[in-house]
């Protein structure tokens, strides 16, 4: 067991109680560098008392998000057990559970039993009031922090606006779940596209079949849309690569259709080293 890994995981938000419970169990089995975790999903399920499907889905999510990586396999009576490592750099990038520090003027022993009795530094006594005193005046948020929070709120509102209006429920919880997803790793534009895809897919559903916004985001139903977005992008990249290869072949063979290739396409082919300037000029085009 590594207290360092367990403490690091305990101080970060993982998005749900089930995810936190599983990562804490894995941290309990890790070495100080996060490695050497070998326990089956069945073992995790028995100790956490979560459902088998929840454990499997969460492990897959952790692998996709880079929180976990597979480092090998260990033979056992049922075949083998995967060996995992917790990526501490990825965990450290997650949102902390602790509240942000509030500057109340206290420099040592932040919680004081009585006003003005705290210890001093360089002869300067701390705040007259203790931080949890009702008359404590907390430092107001900076303009930069306010601007960042405003941008985050606008992004969350924009994403929620794409959800079918008649199925929006518990708006505050929904916005919090959206903000958590964006802070973790999801790009706002991708999440909005996933919401739009669900809205289009579920258009015309009866009320018994719809999913309200708070549950939809809580169950991470947007992951299906993100997977489709990634698949579509991969197809687009493959199609683009195929098209560029065809253009390069036209140039190399000095095909009559070369005259339809634009200057921008030629620049792209040369920069990607699919053709050389000499081949372009030989085909009657300007490099």
């Amino acid at each position: 067991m590594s207290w360092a890994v367990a403490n690091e995981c305990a101080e970060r938000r993982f998005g749900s109680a089930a995810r936190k419970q599983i990562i804490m169990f894995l941290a309990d089995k890790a070495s100080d560098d996060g490695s050497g975790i070998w326990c089956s999903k069945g073992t995790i399920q028995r100790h956490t008392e979560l459902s088998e499907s929840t454990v499997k889905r969460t492990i897959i999510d952790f692998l996709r998000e880079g929180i976990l990586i597979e480092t090998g396999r260990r033979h056992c009576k049922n075949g083998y057990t995967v060996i995992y490592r917790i990526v501490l750099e990825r965990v450290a990038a997650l949102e902390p559970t602790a509240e942000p520090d509030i500057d109340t003027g206290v420099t040592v022993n932040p919680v004081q039993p009585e006003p003005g009795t705290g210890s001093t530094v360089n002869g300067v006594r701390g705040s007259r009031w203790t931080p949890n005193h009702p008359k404590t005046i907390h430092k107001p948020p900076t303009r930069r922090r306010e601007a960042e929070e405003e941008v985050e709120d606008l992004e969350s509102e924009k994403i929620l606006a794409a959800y079918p209006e008649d199925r929006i429920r518990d708006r505050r919880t929904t916005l919090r779940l959206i903000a958590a997803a964006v802070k973790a790793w999801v790009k706002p534009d991708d999440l909005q596209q996933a919401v739009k895809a669900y809205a289009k897919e579920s258009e015309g559903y009866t009320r018994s079949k719809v999913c309200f916004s708070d549950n939809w985001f809580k169950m991470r139903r947007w992951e299906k849309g993100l997977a489709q977005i990634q698949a579509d992008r991969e197809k687009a990249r493959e199609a683009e690569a195929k098209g560029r290869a065809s253009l390069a072949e036209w140039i190399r063979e000095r095909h009559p259709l070369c005259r339809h290739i634009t200057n921008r396409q030629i620049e792209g082919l040369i920069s990607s080293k699919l053709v050389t300037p000499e081949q372009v000029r030989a085909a009657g085009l300007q490099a």
Side-chain angles (χ1 to χ4, degrees):
M1 174 180 180
S2 171
W3 286 106
V5 177
N7 287 338
E8 184 69 29
C9 292
E11 294 174 356
R12 301 292 164 179
R13 295 184 184 275
F14 287 85
S16 71
R19 284 164 60 91
K20 189 63 168 280
Q21 194 171 347
I22 290 172
I23 198 66
M24 291 304 298
F25 178 80
L26 295 175
D28 185 59
K29 307 296 181 184
S31 301
D32 284 343
D33 62 351
S35 65
I37 304 169
W38 57 280
C39 52
S40 67
K41 296 179 180 66
T43 300
I44 299 172
Q45 187 270 329
R46 287 193 301 275
H47 283 268
T48 61
E49 299 184 37
L50 297 169
S51 68
E52 184 178 354
S53 61
T54 297
V55 172
K56 289 181 178 179
R57 183 179 66 250
T58 302
I59 294 296
I60 291 172
D61 288 345
F62 283 159
L63 289 169
R64 188 182 64 250
E65 296 166 20
I67 294 173
L68 283 182
I69 60 173
E70 295 183 3
T71 60
R73 295 180 179 182
R74 185 185 181 98
H75 290 288
C76 63
K77 63 180 180 180
N78 296 323
Y80 66 87
T81 300
V82 176
I83 302 175
Y84 298 106
R85 179 168 72 87
I86 296 175
V87 182
L88 299 179
E89 296 82 3
R90 184 68 186 87
V91 172
L94 298 176
E95 180 185 359
T97 57
E99 292 293 333
D101 293 334
I102 300 175
D103 184 6
T104 59
V106 179
T107 54
V108 177
N109 299 331
V111 179
Q112 303 177 19
E114 294 293 336
T117 61
S119 57
T120 62
V121 175
N122 297 330
V124 180
R125 188 168 296 280
S127 172
R128 180 186 176 195
W129 301 111
T130 60
N132 55 350
H133 194 282
K135 291 188 178 181
T136 297
I137 300 176
H138 296 303
K139 183 179 178 180
T142 63
R143 291 183 180 178
R144 180 178 178 181
R145 192 189 316 163
E146 286 181 335
E148 290 174 350
E149 291 175 352
E150 185 177 353
V151 169
E152 290 176 0
D153 291 343
L154 288 174
E155 285 181 343
S156 299
E157 289 282 1
K158 184 178 178 182
I159 292 168
L160 182 57
Y163 204 85
E165 187 176 358
D166 60 335
R167 292 177 237 162
I168 294 178
R169 185 180 67 182
D170 195 348
R171 190 180 192 88
R172 183 178 179 181
T173 298
T174 303
L175 290 171
R176 178 176 56 80
L177 292 169
I178 293 173
V182 172
K183 284 183 178 180
W185 61 280
V186 184
K187 294 180 179 178
D189 290 343
D190 289 351
L191 186 54
Q192 186 180 28
Q193 287 186 43
V195 173
K196 288 181 177 179
Y198 171 73
K200 184 176 180 180
E201 173 191 338
S202 61
E203 188 175 2
Y205 277 13
T206 60
R207 190 172 182 83
S208 61
K209 291 185 177 181
V210 302
C211 186
F212 288 100
S213 60
D214 53 341
N215 282 338
W216 195 83
F217 283 97
K218 188 181 299 182
M219 294 187 293
R220 301 166 66 90
R221 295 275 294 274
W222 40 265
E223 289 182 343
K224 177 183 176 182
L226 290 185
Q228 186 60 51
I229 290 171
Q230 294 297 329
D232 291 343
R233 285 177 179 168
E234 186 61 31
K235 288 181 181 178
R237 282 194 291 267
E238 291 177 358
E240 182 181 0
K242 186 176 180 180
R244 289 161 65 90
S246 296
L247 295 179
E249 185 177 357
W250 287 357
I251 292 176
R252 288 192 295 268
E253 295 181 355
R254 305 177 188 179
H255 196 282
L257 290 176
C258 284
R259 65 179 182 272
H260 297 295
I261 302 177
T262 66
N263 291 334
R264 178 173 294 183
Q265 289 173 328
I266 292 172
E267 291 174 359
L269 294 172
I270 292 175
S271 64
S272 59
K273 298 184 179 180
L274 292 175
V275 295
T276 64
E278 290 76 14
Q279 289 174 322
V280 172
R281 287 192 290 270
L285 301 174
Q286 185 175 357

